[in-house]
Amino acid sequence: MINRKTDILIIGAGPAGLAAAVAARESGVESVLVIEREKEPGGILRQCIHNGFGLHRFKEELTGPEYAQRDIDRASDLNIPVECSTTALSLSADRSVICVSAEKGLQHIEAGAVILAMGCRERPRGALCTPGTRCSGIYSAGTAQRFVNLEGFMPGKRVVILGSGDIGLIMARRMTLQGASVLACVEIMPYSSGLNRNIVQCLQDYNIPLYLNHTVTDISGRERLEGVTVSRVDQNRKPIPGTEIHFDCDTLLLSCGLIPENELSTGAGILLSPSTSGAVVDETFETNIPGIFSCGNVLHVHDLVDHVSAESQKAGASAAAFIRNKKHTTSFISVCDGDGVRGTVPQKIHRDADQEIQLMFRPTQVFRNSSAVIECDGQILSRKKAMIFTPGEMANIVLKPEMLNHVNGDSITVRMERN
Amino acid sequence: MDYKTDILIIGSGITGCALARELSGYQASVTVLEKGSDIAEGATKANSGIIHAGYDAMPGSLKAYYNVLGSSMYPSLCSQLNIPYRRCGALVIALDENEIKSVEALKKRGESNGVENLSLIGKDEILALEPNINPQVVCALNVPDSAIISPYEAAYAFADNAAVNNTTFLFDQTVENVIKNSNGFTVQTNSDTFHCHVVINCAGSFGAEIHNILCEEKLEMTHRRGQYYLLDRSSEQPFSRTVFQCPSHMGKGVLLTPTVHGNMLIGPTAEDISDPCDTATTAEGLSEIIRKAVRTWPALSVRQNITNFSGIRAHLNSGDFVVGQNKEVPGYFEAIGIESPGLSSAPAIARDLCRQVVDYMNLVRKEKTIVYQAPSCSFHDMSNEERASAVESDPAHGNIICRCEMVTEAEIRAAIHRPVGARTVDGVKRRTRAGMGRCQGGFCMPRVADIIAEETGIPLQKITKSGGSSFLLTGSIESYLKGESNHDQSEN
């Protein structure tokens, strides 16, 4: 087994890992190493060949591979080693990682700081407890995307999509363009969890009906999928008998949510938030284990890669600061989810934080003409108004360091307020 | 095509495979016909995976006899053949005063079946053993000799051992007719004709159907479906033993059990259905399991559920197993109605049937037989030192294909090259656990399909999930771009 040391080790070379690596190096840390389990860097962007990436960060519209390439090139310009086909097997609280590759065998890497950037996985059928047969033709949308865009194969011809997450919406269009018939997109909630622009450009432009308040209640087909039954649901998301619609289809794509891949993290004793399924972090993206940071979709699921990159740059810079022994001395203020808000990140803030902090969260439902507020002991510290807040789009509200002077207690709350 | 074989076994479930292994020690040609695309595709792949101690069956029944005998054979078989097996023990719990009587009756029945080490324990002792059990529990039958096994891996091990000793396994062979003639039998399948001296019916759910082709005295079978929840494996499972509910006014209860791989299995339902292939799960069945299981485990959460499945028990209406040479038709042997405790009984049934066939045909033992051991330790279960040397000896161990279950490329290639190797995505899954984890193959399935294609030469578009027309793919982008329509004929 090879033993190695590095100042900063980054697990995952998707957009989060690459942005963190570049930021760490630009903050002056020489010894930065990225490991990646796939054969090439770029993460899930490699299979996202549609455009719409980079509008915020680069002020232009890029495809997924183009966006990834910019980070890959930047890392390469800076001579940051990115070791691919290398899978991390375990992470310890002492910031060491065991990883394996065919080329180097088993390695034990001791790091001064670790940045977790493993991304997320799709929620499979089992997690939904959808009854029916266990035939072929049921794929998570990302798996289908990989088949179509990376391998050049079609996973089906007549398609129903369960869930209206962004990957599902993108695949509705992609499968249509490739000659398949997409019969319906079925969403159990009264609103889509995808971006509005994807509803318009991927469903409406192709006349694909979106069934809100509906779900798949039966799956039929012995060998290959032959059809699905879709039913309307009540307010408690329970199917209403008598509302069944049957679709003859050979493919069911699932786009029912993403789950941060935190199996390595829990092995190191990192505390996870039940709300985000990601690590509990402070405003520097440090977890409860000193020197281990988390960013990107392994921390909380984002809608836009631009925001992943921005967050990961901060995490990279923080890891560099940790290496330089720049420590906070004061205690934490915890950040709580209030009415209409879930998954606020960061979950805690150093009392002596000296920079602007973006509190990121998701509304629990659609809010029109409303405000997000930061509140402390009945006092509003900050307010952000908008025409609409939807669960499909992550929202944020800025906390300025001077506001922290007004915090007497141990916590602040982010909540929604109708105007 | 016409084939000749001395002995023809119909069905490659746990019984057929255990029998094939026994017979492979004798000088005779043995062929196993399977209607599915792989070993263990029926009840063997979808059951509770429990090696029962033997307290449940009626004293004097074949079920009682074979259960007690079979379960005593497993420990040495499993260590010899590397089959995942653990003597985890079991509790049958009584949740109110009425249920105590049932538990006491089970103890008595077990003792008359020859089951040892049975005892009744009280609430405190129960909660000390299994702290997550409903605190309303009043007493329990403690069954330390109950065990868990990976049932399909047992069938694979039996089949592999039969195959290395020259047993032929043929798949996608559905028996359509069996004719007795002067030399033995002619068996007609959907594709071929087989001439043999002896036919052994191990056809599971189709056992009665095949019996009734040959025999005047007909058998009637009921197909009884059982649905399950399978929870993700984690280091801290809520129960370390199998926990049964005793029969009550709520009907037959459900069980909760750890699996040998560290998952939790909850189920089964018991629904009589008409179609022996209808392994669908239903909303009613799944909610019934939860409703019943909370009686054992009030804190039950299915948040960790990774899949639901169901299996079909082959229940003979006469109640007991039918095992042995048929009285009407010499040379026709059968093992029918092998429902629970069929898994526990399989090695004993196989040994008995083998002995009878050997006597009937005057078979002589082979001078030498080979023992094939399944790959002994998965990469997931290795220490880091073992992993380091595994990658050193085969770099393909350095490529993790299934990230959830930590299955390497080398393990997947090895599964395809086992004596009865995997040909399908599900075949690889059950032999290696690739795709068994929390993402259910979302990441690894395309790579597993690529490896099967590489190793077997089957084109990627012909790779199936589990045989038949369960294809993964319906066309290539290339052919679409060439103008070949991707649409169904029905739409044109």
Side-chain angles (χ1 to χ4, degrees):
Chain A
M1 185 155 60
I2 300 173
N3 284 294
R4 297 168 71 182
K5 284 189 177 172
T6 182
D7 279 346
I8 298 182
L9 175 68
I10 294 139
I11 305 175
L18 291 171
V22 167
R25 173 64 64 77
E26 286 175 339
S27 305
V29 177
E30 196 45 41
S31 163
V32 175
L33 170 66
V34 187
I35 59 171
E36 164 59 45
R37 57 188 157 201
E38 292 290 319
K39 286 185 183 129
E40 292 168 49
I44 214 70
L45 286 176
R46 292 173 58 232
Q47 66 185 51
C48 300
I49 63 170
H50 52 284
N51 59 1
F53 300 93
L55 282 166
H56 294 257
R57 185 176 172 203
F58 299 114
K59 311 297 175 212
E60 57 182 309
E61 222 177 350
L62 305 174
T63 66
E66 285 169 340
Y67 186 104
Q69 197 60 43
R70 297 210 174 177
D71 285 328
I72 295 167
D73 289 346
R74 183 72 186 133
S76 159
D77 290 346
L78 294 171
N79 290 317
I80 297 172
V82 180
E83 296 187 4
C84 292
S85 301
T86 303
T87 307
L89 303 180
S90 61
L91 166 71
S92 307
D94 65 0
R95 301 185 293 276
S96 72
V97 164
I98 303 277
C99 59
V100 70
S101 68
E103 194 190 336
K104 294 192 171 152
L106 213 66
Q107 303 184 66
H108 178 244
I109 304 177
E110 288 176 81
V114 175
I115 302 175
L116 306 174
M118 292 89 75
C120 57
R121 64 168 174 269
E122 299 176 278
R123 179 169 281 135
R125 174 183 173 186
L128 310 172
C129 301
T130 308
T133 55
R134 292 161 46 73
C135 46
S136 75
I138 305 169
Y139 300 102
S140 55
T143 308
Q145 189 179 44
R146 179 188 163 124
F147 268 131
V148 178
N149 291 348
L150 293 185
E151 313 228 351
F153 288 99
M154 285 296 280
K157 297 174 180 175
R158 288 176 63 84
V159 185
V160 169
I161 298 176
L162 173 59
S164 60
D166 287 310
I167 315 171
L169 300 175
I170 293 290
M171 284 311 291
R173 176 175 65 186
R174 185 77 186 100
M175 297 288 284
T176 306
L177 292 175
Q178 221 57 62
S181 308
V182 179
L183 309 175
C185 178
V186 178
E187 169 62 58
I188 194 167
M189 301 301 285
Y191 48 81
S192 164
S193 53
L195 296 172
N196 192 50
R197 71 174 193 216
N198 285 335
I199 302 278
V200 174
Q201 295 170 8
C202 301
L203 295 185
Q204 290 172 6
D205 285 0
Y206 297 89
N207 294 318
I208 299 167
L210 171 62
Y211 291 84
L212 297 174
N213 294 306
H214 280 73
T215 192
V216 171
T217 47
D218 198 18
I219 292 171
S220 60
R222 281 287 151 73
E223 295 174 346
R224 176 79 193 194
L225 180 67
E226 289 168 9
V228 299
T229 303
V230 170
S231 305
R232 178 181 279 279
V233 297
D234 63 20
Q235 286 142 331
N236 302 316
R237 287 182 258 165
K238 295 278 174 255
I240 304 169
T243 61
E244 295 83 2
I245 316 169
H246 186 81
F247 291 95
D248 285 324
C249 58
D250 64 9
T251 307
L252 176 65
L253 298 188
L254 306 177
S255 181
C256 304
L258 301 169
I259 306 166
E261 288 239 86
N262 272 302
E263 282 64 36
L264 280 178
S265 323
T266 49
I270 289 170
L271 210 63
L272 300 187
S273 148
S275 170
T276 58
S277 301
V280 171
V281 293
D282 63 28
E283 80 283 1
T284 71
F285 299 96
E286 189 172 22
T287 67
N288 62 309
I289 306 290
I292 301 185
F293 298 79
S294 178
C295 58
N297 279 354
V298 76
L299 176 62
H300 56 155
V301 176
H302 292 253
D303 321 305
L304 297 178
V305 68
D306 306 62
H307 296 162
V308 167
S309 302
E311 169 179 301
S312 304
Q313 284 164 352
K314 291 179 196 163
S318 303
F322 178 84
I323 293 291
R324 290 195 308 268
N325 277 321
K326 191 186 165 215
K327 280 199 171 136
H328 289 270
T329 50
T330 59
S331 58
F332 288 111
I333 297 164
S334 57
V335 182
C336 306
D337 292 343
D339 286 347
V341 164
R342 66 182 170 86
T344 307
V345 171
Q347 292 88 350
K348 53 186 182 177
I349 294 170
H350 284 99
R351 210 171 273 276
D352 65 347
D354 54 4
Q355 286 181 6
E356 249 185 37
I357 301 162
Q358 253 191 16
L359 301 178
M360 296 167 276
F361 63 92
R362 280 181 195 275
T364 55
Q365 51 179 296
V366 177
F367 288 92
R368 290 177 199 280
N369 297 317
S370 301
S371 299
V373 299
I374 305 175
E375 190 184 61
C376 175
D377 287 339
Q379 184 194 353
I380 307 286
L381 301 182
S382 177
R383 177 184 296 273
K384 181 179 183 177
K385 283 187 186 176
M387 295 281 286
I388 187 165
F389 289 89
T390 78
E393 305 196 17
M394 191 187 283
N396 69 72
I397 182 166
V398 171
L399 180 73
K400 296 204 164 74
E402 57 268 25
M403 293 174 187
L404 292 171
N405 301 332
H406 302 287
V407 178
N408 301 317
D410 297 329
S411 70
I412 56 174
T413 299
V414 181
R415 63 174 175 82
M416 295 301 301
E417 199 175 83
R418 292 187 198 273
N419 293 346
Chain B
M1 229 175 96
D2 268 35
Y3 290 90
K4 280 199 172 110
T5 182
D6 293 328
I7 301 169
L8 191 80
I9 299 174
I10 304 172
S12 68
I14 189 77
T15 316
C17 290
L19 176 59
R21 176 181 161 273
E22 292 282 348
L23 285 169
S24 70
Y26 292 86
Q27 295 179 20
S29 59
V30 182
T31 302
V32 183
L33 299 185
E34 168 55 49
K35 73 187 262 296
S37 61
D38 200 350
I39 302 293
E41 290 271 85
T44 303
K45 78 161 193 281
N47 60 75
S48 305
I50 292 163
I51 302 304
H52 297 278
Y55 56 80
D56 202 31
M58 281 303 169
S61 64
L62 288 181
K63 282 183 176 172
Y65 170 74
Y66 285 119
N67 181 353
V68 174
L69 193 60
S71 61
S72 73
M73 291 168 72
Y74 269 109
S76 66
L77 273 173
C78 291
S79 66
Q80 188 194 358
L81 305 179
N82 276 333
I83 300 166
Y85 170 91
R86 186 158 68 84
R87 186 174 159 276
C88 64
L91 298 175
V92 188
I93 58 170
L95 288 163
D96 59 40
E97 296 298 322
N98 293 329
E99 293 181 0
I100 296 178
K101 284 196 192 87
S102 316
V103 170
E104 285 170 345
L106 284 178
K107 178 167 181 280
K108 257 191 206 135
R109 201 190 291 172
E111 282 160 353
S112 53
N113 287 345
V115 182
E116 292 169 358
N117 303 323
L118 298 177
S119 63
L120 292 176
I121 58 175
K123 178 176 177 164
D124 293 346
E125 204 175 334
I126 297 167
L127 291 174
L129 293 175
E130 296 292 349
N132 286 307
I133 283 185
N134 187 346
Q136 285 175 8
V137 69
V138 278
C139 96
L141 176 64
N142 187 14
V143 192
D145 290 336
S146 190
I148 49 177
I149 195 170
S150 169
Y152 42 87
E153 286 175 83
Y156 296 146
F158 293 152
D160 284 338
N161 274 277
V164 292
N165 292 295
N166 295 323
T167 301
T168 305
F169 284 83
L170 297 174
F171 297 100
D172 302 313
Q173 294 277 356
T174 305
V175 171
E176 292 177 345
N177 201 5
V178 185
I179 301 156
K180 169 86 176 139
N181 51 40
S182 53
N183 294 326
F185 299 86
T186 301
V187 175
Q188 186 67 47
T189 70
N190 55 326
S191 55
D192 300 290
T193 305
F194 297 83
H195 305 282
C196 57
H197 298 301
V198 159
V199 167
I200 312 169
N201 176 358
C202 299
S205 290
F206 301 89
E209 208 175 293
I210 285 166
H211 168 99
N212 293 345
I213 296 175
L214 280 166
C215 306
E216 288 301 320
E217 198 181 326
K218 305 298 182 194
L219 290 177
E220 270 181 47
M221 198 170 249
T222 301
H223 309 293
R224 196 158 284 165
R225 182 167 64 191
Q227 306 185 30
Y228 291 91
Y229 279 86
L230 184 71
L231 309 192
D232 193 9
R233 66 167 155 188
S234 75
S235 49
E236 284 174 40
Q237 288 296 3
F239 297 97
S240 62
R241 290 167 184 74
T242 305
V243 182
F244 296 94
Q245 298 172 345
C246 67
S248 75
H249 60 281
M250 288 194 57
K252 200 171 183 312
V254 297
L255 63 90
L256 293 88
T257 186
T259 70
V260 282
H261 295 294
N263 300 82
M264 278 292 298
L265 189 61
I266 306 175
T269 55
E271 314 144 54
D272 292 350
I273 53 167
S274 54
D275 179 352
C277 298
D278 185 5
T279 54
T281 53
T282 62
E284 300 74 37
L286 295 178
S287 62
E288 178 193 327
I289 294 170
I290 298 302
R291 206 169 56 239
K292 288 182 170 176
V294 290
R295 292 189 76 221
T296 298
W297 183 21
L300 168 68
S301 156
V302 290
R303 224 178 113 93
Q304 297 299 314
N305 187 51
I306 53 175
T307 192
N308 298 105
F309 63 87
S310 76
I312 314 287
R313 313 171 184 77
H315 171 75
L316 273 179
N317 295 359
S318 48
D320 205 1
F321 295 157
V322 169
V323 176
Q325 182 165 205
N326 184 276
K327 288 192 197 85
E328 292 178 44
V329 188
Y332 166 62
F333 297 77
E334 49 196 9
I336 311 181
I338 312 302
E339 60 179 332
S340 179
L343 173 64
S344 316
S345 305
I349 294 174
R351 201 164 69 181
D352 252 14
L353 275 177
C354 175
R355 202 175 289 147
Q356 293 183 33
V357 171
V358 165
D359 288 347
Y360 176 78
M361 296 179 78
N362 288 318
L363 296 180
V364 179
R365 272 209 86 88
K366 284 177 184 167
E367 280 173 21
K368 210 178 149 197
T369 52
I370 305 162
V371 174
Y372 171 85
Q373 287 201 316
S376 62
C377 192
S378 66
F379 195 79
H380 177 279
D381 296 331
M382 288 179 192
S383 69
N384 283 331
E385 290 68 31
E386 290 168 327
R387 286 171 182 164
S389 57
V391 185
E392 219 161 90
S393 62
D394 182 356
H397 271 303
N399 289 333
I400 307 291
I401 302 294
C402 169
R403 51 173 86 168
C404 301
E405 294 290 321
M406 207 187 278
V407 182
T408 71
E409 182 189 330
E411 291 176 281
I412 291 168
R413 292 193 194 275
I416 296 165
H417 291 292
R418 282 175 67 156
V420 185
R423 289 289 176 280
T424 63
V425 172
D426 279 358
V428 167
K429 176 174 88 174
R430 284 194 276 276
R431 285 173 180 82
T432 64
R433 294 187 62 75
M436 284 257 186
R438 54 192 77 89
C439 92
Q440 287 285 290
F443 287 111
C444 68
M445 185 267 289
R447 298 181 68 184
V448 168
D450 282 341
I451 296 172
I452 298 172
E454 272 173 46
E455 293 293 323
T456 62
I458 303 169
L460 190 58
Q461 279 177 263
K462 296 285 173 203
I463 303 287
T464 63
K465 178 177 184 285
S466 54
S469 62
S470 66
F471 300 109
L472 302 179
L473 302 168
T474 58
S476 70
I477 304 291
E478 198 185 351
S479 65
Y480 176 72
L481 294 176
K482 282 182 188 156
E484 295 159 27
S485 173
N486 247 333
H487 282 279
D488 277 342
Q489 290 302 315
S490 58
E491 280 195 329
N492 295 340

